[in-house]
Amino acid sequence: LVLGMISVMIIMNTIRISVVNRRVEINIMKYVGATDWFIRWPFIIEGVLIGLLGALIPMLIAWPAYAKSISMIYDFFPVIQNMVTFRDSSEIFSILLPFSITFGILLGVIGSVTSIRKHLKV
């Protein structure tokens, strides 16, 4: 829960910086008649991509690290192999990867929508 809140805060700050940097472009878009959602969607997509990458990169690092850790534990402590059975990495990450990606996208959307409402006056 705490890490989720921290992720939302990071995404909110990233979107806020992006809004501030594009302030002139946003004003020009308003003057030529762009709708509010036409201005908001790029920021929402940016939040989704940040959340997606924030979930995908750690999973792609953790998957081989978990498999290597289990093999190292079995190599250094062969007695453990008879007492404890670790789950296969593909079994764990086949469930964890879709959940992580969905949760990352959800956090990205929440962070970007919150930031847009707070900092983008369209």
Side-chain angles (χ1 to χ4, degrees), residues 18-32 34 39-40 43 119-122:
S18 182
V19 167
V20 169
N21 286 338
R22 298 180 191 163
R23 180 75 63 193
V24 173
E25 297 164 8
I26 292 170
N27 285 333
I28 292 171
M29 289 168 60
K30 284 187 207 177
Y31 290 141
V32 296
I39 296 171
R40 289 180 179 149
F43 298 108
H119 299 289
L120 186 61
K121 305 293 189 254
V122 290

Side-chain angles (χ1 to χ4, degrees), residues 23-85:
R23 180 75 63 193
V24 173
E25 297 164 8
I26 292 170
N27 285 333
I28 292 171
M29 289 168 60
K30 284 187 207 177
Y31 290 141
V32 296
T35 63
D36 292 347
W37 280 105
F38 187 80
I39 296 171
R40 289 180 179 149
W41 271 110
F43 298 108
I44 293 173
I45 292 171
E46 183 178 351
V48 166
L49 289 176
I50 291 170
L52 178 67
L53 289 175
L56 193 60
I57 291 171
M59 284 292 113
L60 293 177
I61 292 171
W63 193 327
Y66 176 79
K68 183 68 175 173
S69 299
I70 297 306
S71 67
M72 287 177 63
I73 289 171
Y74 283 156
D75 289 343
F76 288 124
F77 306 107
V79 176
I80 290 180
Q81 194 168 10
N82 296 332
M83 297 182 340
V84 177
T85 303

